[in-house]
Amino acid sequence: MSDTLNTNDPLDRDLLAEPFSVLIADDEEAARGLVEATFCTSGLKLTFAKQGDEAIQLCKTELPDLAILDWQMPGATGLEVCQWIKANSGTVFVPVVLLTSLSELSETVAGLNGGADEYITKPFRIQELEARVRALLRIKLLTEELRRTRELLADKERQLVATEVAGAAAHELGQPLTSLLINCQL
């Protein structure tokens, strides 16, 4: 990790109420260790799985903010875990990185078409993985901000419509009452 964090850095702890959670699923201990070493000082909350089925169980308990998945694992594959995450995350954007030794173009295309947001082949460069994770977390932050803004706008629109309906109703009710008051005064 770089020593200087800029103000747009999603890993800057001052910007967030709580750290991002990252699921790392890989059956190779050395690969998990290298990814852990890459992010151990980042302030991210790291969770590990040794196989795909374990990763899905962890996601059922709590969806991560980002997942780094090996494609080839016992049980569910990384691509199957990715597809499960995408199908079960609702309106929440959960970026998925496939980090795999599969390097054929057809596999890369299948991974990205299968729902992965990034595809990185092993052996990987630590700086590249770090930069791609940061980029995906920035996108996640912007997506969440957009979702909150849309909810706020929808709420304001509902309030405006309610106010207009109430105003129109008051106007319509006011006309007969005005006629009655005039007749009473006469």
Side-chain angles (χ1 to χ4, degrees):
M1 301 291 288
S2 64
D3 291 337
T4 59
L5 298 175
N6 74 38
T7 57
N8 294 324
D9 189 340
L11 303 184
D12 187 342
R13 298 300 86 211
D14 294 336
L15 297 177
L16 302 170
E18 59 185 65
F20 283 112
S21 61
V22 177
L23 170 64
I24 300 164
D26 197 315
D27 59 321
E28 295 177 22
E29 186 175 340
R32 284 192 314 273
L34 188 55
V35 174
E36 179 180 18
T38 301
F39 295 108
C40 69
T41 61
S42 66
L44 296 172
K45 177 184 164 195
L46 304 177
T47 306
F48 300 92
K50 296 177 184 176
Q51 58 179 336
D53 296 335
E54 181 185 1
I56 290 173
Q57 287 304 315
L58 289 169
C59 289
K60 285 180 179 179
T61 304
E62 181 180 348
L63 269 176
D65 291 310
L66 182 136
I68 301 172
L69 310 172
D70 180 28
W71 188 321
Q72 298 174 302
M73 293 186 287
T77 67
L79 185 58
E80 291 169 334
V81 175
C82 171
Q83 291 168 337
W84 188 95
I85 289 171
K86 296 298 183 172
N88 291 281
S89 58
T91 60
V92 176
F93 173 56
V94 179
V96 175
V97 177
L98 282 177
L99 184 63
T100 179
S101 59
L102 300 176
S103 60
E104 294 294 319
L105 176 61
S106 61
E107 295 158 337
T108 304
V109 170
L112 293 170
N113 285 340
D117 300 291
E118 281 289 353
Y119 192 99
I120 301 173
T121 57
K122 295 177 186 175
F124 63 93
R125 294 176 295 243
I126 291 172
Q127 296 86 354
E128 180 183 7
L129 176 62
E130 181 183 44
R132 290 180 187 269
V133 164
R134 285 177 183 278
L136 287 170
L137 290 176
R138 278 194 306 274
I139 292 168
K140 180 175 182 61
L141 282 173
L142 291 171
T143 302
E144 285 300 307
E145 184 178 332
L146 178 61
R147 185 183 58 76
R148 283 191 304 273
T149 301
R150 289 178 67 188
E151 288 173 357
L152 180 64
L153 286 173
D155 187 49
K156 293 293 183 187
E157 185 177 7
R158 282 190 294 276
Q159 290 176 7
L160 179 61
V161 168
T163 301
E164 288 175 355
V165 168
H171 178 71
E172 292 298 322
L173 288 173
Q175 297 228 352
L177 292 176
T178 303
S179 298
L180 287 172
L181 289 173
I182 292 172
N183 285 331
C184 287
Q185 289 176 356
L186 290 175

